């Protein structure tokens, strides 16, 4: 009876699926995305969020978001905090722009609310049409390059140089050797498509660090307290909402989550051959991104790893619900998160960054008015350690080059407005300095 009731909720028969198949797909989906708990939490902790609070925020966000996707859209898409956007949260909004992590969470909430507006109206299509595909792809490539750089720095493979901006690290240092070994293991597991490859590589990197006495020293003396999450949940600060940097941050985050998820959700429903589900899946994604600010983490995205669950037979929302429940069960492992060292996290950042960089093949490089703005976005995101500034420079350069070459009509009116806003921000920032 229970099986037929669940089958009715998720329309298993109509999708040619079965209860066992959906649950197995959900388990595989969880195994391929569970690494996000550790990786996302460590990135958020560098913004000042208490690590235990960041871990619980990540777990609860994944749990609620997957349930939302499963019940609202009935699709096997798994929602987790996005890699790249979490780096933007910490290294751009907090460390570069000077926002507190509480203010950054407020930025996430407002950006998510704007995302909801676009998802439930025609604005998403308007914005998607206004921004050239080359610039959208360049943002993904720039994010990937930035993630790879962060991973290399975390693992000690590159460091600040004496006679250059960055230089090769000391390869004989134990942390560097541990990172290199962990990277090769992670890469082999990934290439061989081992289920839960990132999770196994994190476990290997942690065991290797234990053997080399590289585990974080504070881990053994600290205890997990659920009260730490009380400092994070719904702890958004709107104190700087009247200042321009706050709204520049809102604009930048909104741009990334709207365009990245348009591509991700569209790709997933295409794999499923269920294009009619795009609207509700996109709406579920938007609501979960808004709730991320409340729960205390960077925005969620439709994870690339959802494809693994689909390849395993996932066809309905039951797959996403199963994954969400497994995320909730991982709450019992929170006390052990502090034992995970940098050499176990760094390879994951490098591999994911490399996957994102592959989007460079989609760039239009024959037309220099398209190529140079894209190249500047890709270069300036890691060089300035600011995703917002990298996007801004590319978006300003694009209409300038088009007008200069007599192709001003190729630029949409909304893009002129966006470029103008970015330019005004630079001017005002220079005046303040």
């Amino acid at each position: 009876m229970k099986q037929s009731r669940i089958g009715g909720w998720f329309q298993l028969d109509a999708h040619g699926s079965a209860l066992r198949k959906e649950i197995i797909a959900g388990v595989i989906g969880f195994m391929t995305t569970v690494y996000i708990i550790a990786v996302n939490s460590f990135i958020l902790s560098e913004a000042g969020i208490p690590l235990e609070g960041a871990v619980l925020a990540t777990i609860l966000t994944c749990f609620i978001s997957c349930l939302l996707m499963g019940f609202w859209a009935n699709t096997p898409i798994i929602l987790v905090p996005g890699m790249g956007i979490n780096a933007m949260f910490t290294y751009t909004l907090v460390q570069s722009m000077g926002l507190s992590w509480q203010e950054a969470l407020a930025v996430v909430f407002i950006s998510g609310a704007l995302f909801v507006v676009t998802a439930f109206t025609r604005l998403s299509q308007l914005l998607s049409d206004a921004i050239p595909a080359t610039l959208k792809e360049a943002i993904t490539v720039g994010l990937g390059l930035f993630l790879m750089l962060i991973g290399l720095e975390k693992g000690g493979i590159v460091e600040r140089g004496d006679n250059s901006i960055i230089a090769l690290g000391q390869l004989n240092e134990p942390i560097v050797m541990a990172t290199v070994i962990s990277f090769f293991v992670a890469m082999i597991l990934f290439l061989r498509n081992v289920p839960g490859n990132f999770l196994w590589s994190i476990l290997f990197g942690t065991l290797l660090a234990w053997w080399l006495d590289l585990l974080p020293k504070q881990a053994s003396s600290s205890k997990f307290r659920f009260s730490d999450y009380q400092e994070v949940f719904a702890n958004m600060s709107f104190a700087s909402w009247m200042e321009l940097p706050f709204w520049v941050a809102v604009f930048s985050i909104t741009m990334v989550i709207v365009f990245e998820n348009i591509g991700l959700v569209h790709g997933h429903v295409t794999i499923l051959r269920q294009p009619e589900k795009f609207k509700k899946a996109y709406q579920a994604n938007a609501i979960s991104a808004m709730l991320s600010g409340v729960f205390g983490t960077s925005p969620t995205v439709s994870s690339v790893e959802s494809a693994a669950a689909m390849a395993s037979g996932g066809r309905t929302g039951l797959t996403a619900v199963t994954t969400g429940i497994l995320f909730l069960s991982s709450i019992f492992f929170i006390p052990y998160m502090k034992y995970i060292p940098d050499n176990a996290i760094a390879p994951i950042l490098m591999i994911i960054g490399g996957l994102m960089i592959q989007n460079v093949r989609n760039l239009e490089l024959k037309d220099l008015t398209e190529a140079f703005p894209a190249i500047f976005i890709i270069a300036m995101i890691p060089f300035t350690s600011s995703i917002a500034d990298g996007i801004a420079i590319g978006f300003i350069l694009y209409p300038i080059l088009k007008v200069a070459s007599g192709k001003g009509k190729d630029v949409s009116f909304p893009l002129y407005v966006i470029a103008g806003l970015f330019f005004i921000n630079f001017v005002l920032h220079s005046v303040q300095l």
Side-chain angles (χ1 to χ4, degrees):
M1 183 68 178
K2 285 185 177 180
Q3 179 168 341
S4 61
R5 185 178 301 171
I6 293 174
W9 282 343
F10 296 102
Q11 303 174 346
L12 298 183
D13 291 339
H15 289 84
S17 189
L19 181 63
R20 182 174 179 274
K21 184 185 294 185
E22 295 290 323
I23 291 176
I24 290 175
V27 172
I28 292 175
F30 172 73
M31 292 293 290
T32 58
T33 54
V34 66
Y35 73 89
I36 199 67
I37 298 175
V39 178
N40 187 63
S41 301
F42 277 94
I43 290 177
L44 293 180
S45 69
E46 293 189 5
I49 298 178
L51 180 59
E52 293 90 345
V55 172
L56 196 53
T58 302
I59 290 173
L60 293 179
T61 301
C62 293
F63 168 63
I64 296 297
S65 299
C66 286
L67 261 60
L68 182 63
M69 179 62 76
F71 286 112
W72 175 253
N74 195 22
T75 57
I77 297 175
I78 299 166
L79 296 176
V80 298
M83 293 299 298
I85 302 178
N86 51 12
M88 187 175 185
F89 179 95
T90 294
Y91 305 112
T92 298
L93 270 60
V94 177
Q95 295 186 8
S96 178
M97 300 179 70
L99 298 178
S100 67
W101 63 264
Q102 294 91 341
E103 291 170 333
L105 289 178
V107 168
V108 171
F109 178 78
I110 295 175
S111 299
L114 294 174
F115 188 6
V116 169
V117 172
T118 64
F120 283 85
T121 65
R122 294 183 179 180
L123 277 176
S124 58
Q125 191 62 46
L126 176 65
L127 287 173
S128 182
D129 294 341
I131 309 301
T134 302
L135 297 187
K136 297 176 191 174
E137 298 289 355
I139 292 172
T140 301
V141 176
L143 286 172
L145 201 57
F146 191 31
L147 275 183
M148 182 168 282
L149 177 60
I150 293 169
L152 291 169
E153 288 178 333
K154 266 188 170 295
I157 297 176
V158 299
E159 59 184 22
R160 186 178 296 276
D162 295 328
N163 300 312
S164 60
I165 300 174
I166 57 174
L168 190 65
Q170 301 298 318
L171 298 182
N172 60 342
E173 289 287 330
I175 180 65
V176 178
M177 291 189 289
T179 299
V180 172
I181 295 172
S182 299
F183 171 78
F184 279 114
V185 170
M187 200 71 214
I188 292 169
L189 293 174
F190 179 77
L191 292 175
R192 296 184 68 86
N193 201 27
V194 175
N197 48 74
F198 284 157
L199 174 62
W200 292 120
S201 64
I202 288 175
L203 291 174
F204 173 83
T206 302
L207 288 173
L208 180 62
W210 169 76
W211 185 58
L212 296 174
D213 194 27
L214 295 173
L215 290 179
K217 300 302 179 184
Q218 73 274 18
S220 58
S221 60
S222 60
K223 294 182 179 180
F224 170 69
R225 299 172 300 172
F226 277 96
S227 59
D228 288 326
Y229 187 55
Q230 295 176 3
E231 303 174 29
V232 178
F233 180 75
N235 195 9
M236 299 171 288
S237 172
F238 296 88
S240 59
W241 75 273
M242 293 188 68
E243 299 176 13
L244 185 61
F246 182 88
W247 290 103
V248 171
V250 169
F251 177 74
S252 301
I253 289 285
T254 304
M255 290 282 290
V256 173
I257 60 177
V258 167
F259 295 129
E260 181 174 1
N261 284 298
I262 285 177
L264 286 169
V265 175
H266 181 269
H268 290 322
V269 297
T270 299
I271 292 173
L272 291 169
R273 297 181 180 179
Q274 300 172 8
E276 71 281 358
K277 290 188 176 181
F278 173 84
K279 184 177 181 180
K280 281 200 169 185
Y282 191 63
Q283 291 171 348
N285 200 158
I287 296 171
S288 72
M290 181 178 66
L291 293 177
S292 298
V294 178
F295 283 107
T297 181
S298 51
T300 54
V301 301
S302 297
S303 70
V304 176
E305 292 85 356
S306 299
M310 297 173 192
S312 303
R315 291 295 178 269
T316 73
L318 181 56
T319 293
V321 170
T322 302
T323 301
I325 293 172
L326 290 173
F327 266 115
L328 185 62
S329 67
S330 64
I331 202 168
F332 299 106
F333 298 96
I334 292 178
Y336 305 101
M337 290 292 179
K338 280 192 173 182
Y339 287 95
I340 301 175
D342 284 343
N343 69 280
I345 300 296
I348 309 301
L349 297 176
M350 288 187 278
I351 292 173
I352 294 175
L355 294 174
M356 296 173 73
I357 292 172
Q358 289 185 96
N359 279 41
V360 72
R361 65 179 180 269
N362 300 326
L363 295 180
E364 173 54 62
L365 299 178
K366 294 181 180 179
D367 184 348
L368 295 184
T369 64
E370 297 277 340
F372 269 97
I375 291 170
F376 267 86
I377 289 176
I378 294 169
M380 296 305 288
I381 286 178
F383 287 169
T384 62
S385 294
S386 172
I387 298 168
D389 288 344
I391 293 173
I393 291 170
F395 275 55
I396 292 171
L397 188 59
Y398 188 87
I400 291 176
L401 294 185
K402 286 293 185 181
V403 170
S405 61
K407 300 178 180 178
K409 292 183 179 179
D410 293 347
V411 183
S412 65
F413 177 74
L415 185 54
Y416 277 117
V417 174
I418 293 170
L421 292 173
F422 273 134
F423 179 75
I424 292 171
N425 172 61
F426 279 141
V427 172
L428 293 177
H429 183 68
S430 300
V431 171
Q432 290 173 357
L433 294 176

